[in-house]
Amino acid sequence: MTDPAPARLVVLISGSGSNLQALLEATANPAYGATVVAVGADRDGIAGLDHAAAAGIPTFVDSVKAYPTRDDWDAALTGHVAAYHPDLVISAGFLKLVGKQFLDAFGDRYINTHNALLPAFPGIHGPRDALAYGVKVAGATLFFVDAGVDTGPIIAQTVVPVLDDDTEGTLTERIKVAERAQLVEFVGRLVREGWTIEDRKVRIP
Ligand code: GRF
């Protein structure tokens, strides 16, 4: 029996792309079961786009300000992602909330990694907010995106300690190491094993 075709991943980024890089390294192994077919961004000039181009992967940029309305941007992004027929769409540090058209098209297979232990500290300053609150553990959450801000069904969480002398920078970096490992592990499991969601509970058989 021949192996099934690798699952098709579209990865959306806004920054350095270290999570994307980790996925690119994992997908180099055919046994991982997935391949990154395109990388999209909401801005030019970011390192993640260079990583993708260096790996020979098609890229596209949809900047919100390039479109007359947010709905137009959402439609364009949806179209660009759809053109690559993804099995899974991964927000890996993509700093934009997608709209209804995107969720209608991909809401059953759009996942995001967030650098806090949800439901605590949603939004774009997870590590800073965790540090300010004085929590003793922090971490990252992988979840299916819904219409809320960091509110969708949780796939996995990983925990790191918060140290007394942490700064936002040191805590952010410690979280990112655990976050990358979690992303690689669970994207692989999702594409190889499938999943169910019932009453918010995500189960991978
Ligand atoms: C991740 O820590 C993610 O949780 C946050 O932004 C970071 C992206 O990092 N929203 P990178 O671009 O993958 O290096």
Side-chain angles (χ1 to χ4, degrees):
M1 204 174 90
T2 53
D3 288 337
R8 301 170 63 82
L9 310 179
V10 170
V11 183
L12 301 179
I13 59 170
S14 296
S16 62
S18 67
N19 282 286
L20 166 66
Q21 189 65 30
L23 284 170
L24 290 175
E25 285 163 18
T27 55
N29 179 354
Y32 187 71
T35 184
V36 178
V37 293
V39 172
D42 66 331
R43 62 199 73 189
D44 271 318
I46 53 176
L49 287 174
D50 297 337
H51 290 157
I57 294 166
T59 63
F60 59 89
V61 175
D62 282 316
S63 157
V64 171
K65 59 181 187 303
Y67 295 91
T69 68
R70 186 91 184 189
D71 276 351
D72 291 324
W73 170 78
D74 191 47
L77 181 70
T78 303
H80 283 136
V81 171
Y84 292 99
H85 304 289
D87 295 300
L88 206 56
V89 184
I90 302 166
S91 161
F94 186 58
L95 296 175
K96 289 288 179 298
L97 292 176
V98 297
K100 185 175 182 321
Q101 295 171 84
F102 192 97
L103 288 177
D104 284 348
F106 303 113
D108 60 341
R109 56 203 143 113
Y110 181 39
I111 68 174
N112 182 34
T113 179
H114 177 63
N115 52 7
L117 293 173
L118 295 171
F121 313 123
I124 61 170
H125 295 299
R128 183 200 295 181
D129 294 343
L131 209 51
Y133 197 91
V135 294
K136 300 301 186 192
V137 294
T141 303
L142 186 67
F143 63 98
F144 282 96
V145 178
D146 67 9
V149 178
D150 298 333
T151 52
I154 291 173
I155 302 161
Q157 294 185 294
T158 184
V159 176
V160 301
V162 177
L163 306 181
D164 288 347
D165 60 354
D166 264 335
T167 61
E168 183 184 358
T170 59
L171 180 59
T172 298
E173 280 312 306
R174 189 176 309 117
I175 291 169
K176 283 184 80 164
V177 171
E179 182 179 31
R180 287 193 288 268
Q182 172 171 263
L183 182 68
V184 166
E185 177 186 349
F186 279 88
V187 166
R189 289 193 56 196
L190 289 170
V191 300
R192 291 189 305 270
E193 300 172 41
W195 68 88
T196 59
I197 307 176
E198 202 181 328
D199 296 336
R200 290 189 56 87
K201 276 64 157 198
V202 179
R203 296 216 164 78
I204 300 172

